[in-house]
Amino acid sequence: MNKAIALVASSFLILLLASPTVFATDYTVGDASGWTLEVDYTKWATGKEFKVGDTLTFKYSPSFHQLDEVSEIDFNSCNSSKPIQSYKDGNTKITLSKAGRFFFLCPIGNHCSRAMKLAVTVCI
Ligand SMILES: *[C@@H]1O[C@H](CO)[C@@H](O)[C@H](O)[C@H]1NC(C)=O
Ligand SMILES: [Cu+2]
């Protein structure tokens, strides 16, 4: 291989290894529908491979919806009494900072039991 090409290739490889966040993906939850009722977020998440450093952006009207990150137990029972984090700014960007499972729901009314909830699995 030509030396210059080898140098470029190895520099690129080093960049790749050193900065995985260069390739982070920003997901808009629910795509064009955003964070709202009548969207199947389980279906939305299916087939997506979330990685550490990716972000989730939740877009919603704060007059109607909010966003809580909760534990798995609270997620399963739609219990928003002690969220890990609460957001109500209408445009919430969350960085998936570590591998594992993350759980989100809307704490307004019965929205969570009407399927306004999202669980994601984040891989390294
Ligand atoms: C909701 O969760 C909190 C802790 O996260 C717990 O103390 C409380 O008992 C739960 N409420 C219900 C109705 O399960
Ligand atoms: Cu809601």
Side-chain angles (χ1 to χ4, degrees), residues 35-37 61 64-66 105-112 116:
W35 181 235
T36 186
L37 290 166
S61 165
F64 299 105
H65 305 294
Q66 292 180 15
L105 56 77
C106 177
I108 303 297
N110 62 357
H111 295 189
C112 177
M116 197 173 169

Side-chain angles (χ1 to χ4, degrees), residues 1-99:
M1 198 186 332
N2 174 309
K3 268 187 188 166
I5 292 174
L7 185 67
V8 168
S10 57
S11 307
F12 186 69
L13 186 65
I14 289 165
L15 184 74
L16 236 172
L17 295 173
S19 43
T21 53
V22 166
F23 300 98
T25 305
D26 180 30
Y27 293 95
T28 298
V29 175
D31 300 314
S33 302
W35 181 235
T36 186
L37 290 166
E38 319 299 341
V39 177
D40 184 341
Y41 293 102
T42 304
K43 190 174 163 192
W44 178 82
T46 300
K48 292 185 171 66
E49 294 184 356
F50 301 99
K51 303 179 304 301
V52 171
D54 287 351
T55 58
L56 298 177
T57 297
F58 293 80
K59 294 182 176 173
Y60 51 98
S61 165
S63 314
F64 299 105
H65 305 294
Q66 292 180 15
L67 178 67
D68 282 356
E69 183 188 348
V70 297
S71 68
E72 182 166 13
I73 291 170
D74 288 350
F75 178 83
N76 289 332
S77 57
C78 282
N79 178 349
S80 56
S81 66
K82 284 185 182 166
I84 296 165
Q85 287 286 344
S86 292
Y87 308 90
K88 49 183 174 183
D89 52 275
N91 191 353
T92 307
K93 188 171 191 168
I94 290 176
T95 301
L96 302 169
S97 56
K98 59 182 181 356

